[in-house]
Amino acid sequence: MRSSIPLGRVAGVRVGLNISVLVIVVILVAGLAFGRFPVVFPGHSPAVYLLAGLVAAVLFMASLLAHELAHAVTARRHGIEVSQITLWLLGGVAELRGEPRTPGADLKIAVVGPLTSLLAGVVSAVIAVLAGAVTGVPLLAGVFWYLAGVNVLLAIFNLVPAAPLDGGRVLRAALWARWGDRTRAAVAAARAGRVFGYALIALGFLQVVTGLGFQGLWLALIGLFLVNAATAEEQQTQLGSALYGLRVGDVMSARPVTAHPEETVAGLIDRVVMRHRLSTYPLVDRLGVFTGLVTLNRIRRVPPEARAATRLGDIACPPHEVPQARPDEPLTDLLGRMDGCADGRAVVLDPGGHLVGLITPSDISRVVATAGLRATDPYLGPRGADVAVPHQRREDDARARHPHDAT
């Protein structure tokens, strides 16, 4: 669900549209302009119905954005960074970099979205009444009555206690407060989401075989999304539990092999790639300041005949697009940012921008594989507890492993 069409910033949060959102807009406009509105409000031209359908679809997307903005703003008030908001085929997603630190914060962030949708429904109903009384145009009032209905339905549906729906977050917060174990609560909410998703798939299939067609397919699509998202959420929760308490400095490969941005691709291949067979090469200038990241995938894309004349700086992932972290940052806060052009890598910098380490998927896999061997429990009490695992890596252990393995 990557943002394909940027819309700028709203309340300080980047907002964008995934290209799939055009599908739902077309479906809404077609369904309203050529189905619902002509039947309920006859007597208008096709152009008027098309305009009314377009207005309703745009306002509905705006209400979805308001729903996600409410999540984002509340999350920021509780100290959670918000990467961006993306509207897509099945709604919207606010990408949070971090997790609530208390059940109360978790509950507030979750419930504010449905409350916003409910408020949007009430406001739309008031506008519908006023529009009907002032203009005397039933179609205009009908647009806002439609918005009122779908926003109320959106609020109710999102409160179903099944992750990743907002109701699943509410369930997680309640179980977290009761059990005192965020991981157990999150897994329970995710499994409830998977059950609910399978139920929607079954209901959708039943509607298809009984002749309701498109509505059944849409339910099945939503159910499939919920099953996949809930499964991914459970896996992410278990991963976060295994890594909880670890700092970036505990996991990073210190003193990684680096290159200069002016070095050629052929020079790097001859000097390092064929000898060490590493997968990642940070670029630093003569002062040690990080200037970009080159991976084997980027090197392979350079034609053999062009390697001698191509500088590493020309093919590198720009520094502002590479996930960056500090050694004392919680590892779980970094994981959500390890994507994009860096192929799942991240660099560790000091306050002056100098490279001090590198994190690759191999580093993460190694920590996950040995998580059960740590003497310190990776998860102690509620998520809000600040538990720091001491940095116990010895120099001989650091020398025993490769700076950063190929992945």
Side-chain angles (χ1 to χ4, degrees):
M1 291 178 288
R2 297 297 173 195
S3 177
S4 306
I5 307 172
L7 299 180
R9 290 182 176 271
V10 180
V13 180
R14 287 191 296 120
V15 177
L17 299 177
N18 182 273
I19 194 67
S20 64
V21 80
L22 299 179
V23 176
I24 189 61
V25 169
V26 170
I27 291 174
L28 287 176
V29 172
L32 293 173
F34 304 109
R36 176 184 176 85
F37 286 165
V39 173
V40 179
F41 309 105
H44 299 278
S45 67
V48 172
Y49 290 128
L50 189 61
L51 177 61
L54 183 60
V55 170
V58 171
L59 290 177
F60 175 63
M61 300 309 297
S63 64
L64 285 179
L65 177 58
H67 179 113
E68 299 303 329
L69 277 173
H71 286 309
V73 171
T74 307
R76 288 172 61 182
R77 289 177 178 173
H78 287 85
I80 301 174
E81 182 182 353
V82 182
S83 175
Q84 67 175 2
I85 291 174
T86 303
L87 300 181
W88 71 299
L89 176 63
L90 296 181
V93 175
E95 299 179 20
L96 308 184
R97 292 182 175 178
E99 294 288 352
R101 305 189 68 80
T102 65
D106 203 7
L107 177 62
K108 291 176 184 177
I109 295 171
V111 79
V112 71
L115 289 179
T116 301
S117 293
L118 185 60
L119 178 61
V122 172
V123 171
S124 296
V126 171
I127 295 176
V129 171
L130 293 177
V134 173
T135 66
V137 179
L139 177 59
L140 180 59
V143 169
F144 289 98
W145 279 121
Y146 167 79
L147 290 171
V150 295
N151 274 289
V152 171
L153 287 176
L154 180 65
I156 294 173
F157 180 78
N158 268 279
L159 285 175
V160 173
L165 298 175
D166 295 331
R169 310 284 187 239
V170 173
L171 175 63
R172 180 178 69 184
L175 294 178
W176 181 6
R178 179 176 180 178
W179 294 337
D181 187 334
R182 183 188 182 281
T183 298
R184 181 184 173 191
V187 169
R191 290 176 178 174
R194 198 155 56 238
V195 171
F196 181 59
Y198 282 127
L200 287 183
I201 292 174
L203 180 59
F205 178 75
L206 180 62
Q207 289 187 352
V208 169
V209 298
T210 54
L212 294 179
F214 178 78
Q215 293 182 5
L217 291 176
W218 192 254
L219 273 183
L221 177 62
I222 295 175
L224 181 62
F225 164 74
L226 291 178
V227 169
N228 291 334
T231 301
E233 187 159 313
E234 180 178 352
Q235 294 171 347
Q236 183 179 3
T237 297
Q238 294 171 339
L239 175 63
S241 177
L243 301 181
Y244 185 69
L246 286 174
R247 304 290 172 176
V248 169
D250 300 322
V251 179
M252 72 179 187
S253 298
R255 300 180 299 279
V257 175
T258 61
H260 193 276
E262 295 298 325
E263 185 175 5
T264 64
V265 173
L268 180 68
I269 293 175
D270 294 338
R271 180 176 66 86
V272 179
V273 175
M274 300 308 297
R275 296 182 182 182
H276 298 288
R277 303 183 186 278
L278 304 177
S279 65
T280 314
Y281 303 92
L283 304 184
V284 297
D285 61 17
R286 289 180 174 83
L287 298 177
V289 176
F290 175 67
T291 62
L293 190 73
V294 171
T295 62
L296 280 182
N297 288 336
R298 289 177 170 266
I299 293 174
R300 291 191 190 100
R301 288 198 288 264
V302 180
E305 63 274 11
R307 291 171 181 169
T310 303
R311 300 179 312 116
L312 294 177
D314 296 332
I315 66 169
C317 184
H320 64 275
E321 296 184 18
V322 179
Q324 302 177 8
R326 303 179 309 276
D328 61 344
E329 180 179 348
L331 180 62
T332 51
D333 289 354
L334 172 63
L335 292 181
R337 308 199 305 267
M338 292 180 66
D339 56 10
C341 72
D343 293 338
R345 277 75 173 165
V347 294
V348 186
L349 309 177
D350 65 15
H354 299 89
L355 182 74
V356 297
L358 179 70
I359 291 184
T360 70
S362 292
D363 296 315
I364 304 298
S365 298
R366 184 182 298 108
V367 174
V368 172
T370 59
L373 304 179
R374 284 191 284 154
T376 304
D377 190 344
Y379 186 87
L380 299 177
R383 186 69 171 183
D386 291 324
V387 180
V389 176
H391 181 31
Q392 299 176 338
R393 183 185 302 163
R394 298 179 178 178
E395 287 298 322
D396 54 344
D397 293 331
R399 287 194 296 268
R401 71 185 184 93
H402 208 282
H404 48 289
D405 298 337
T407 301

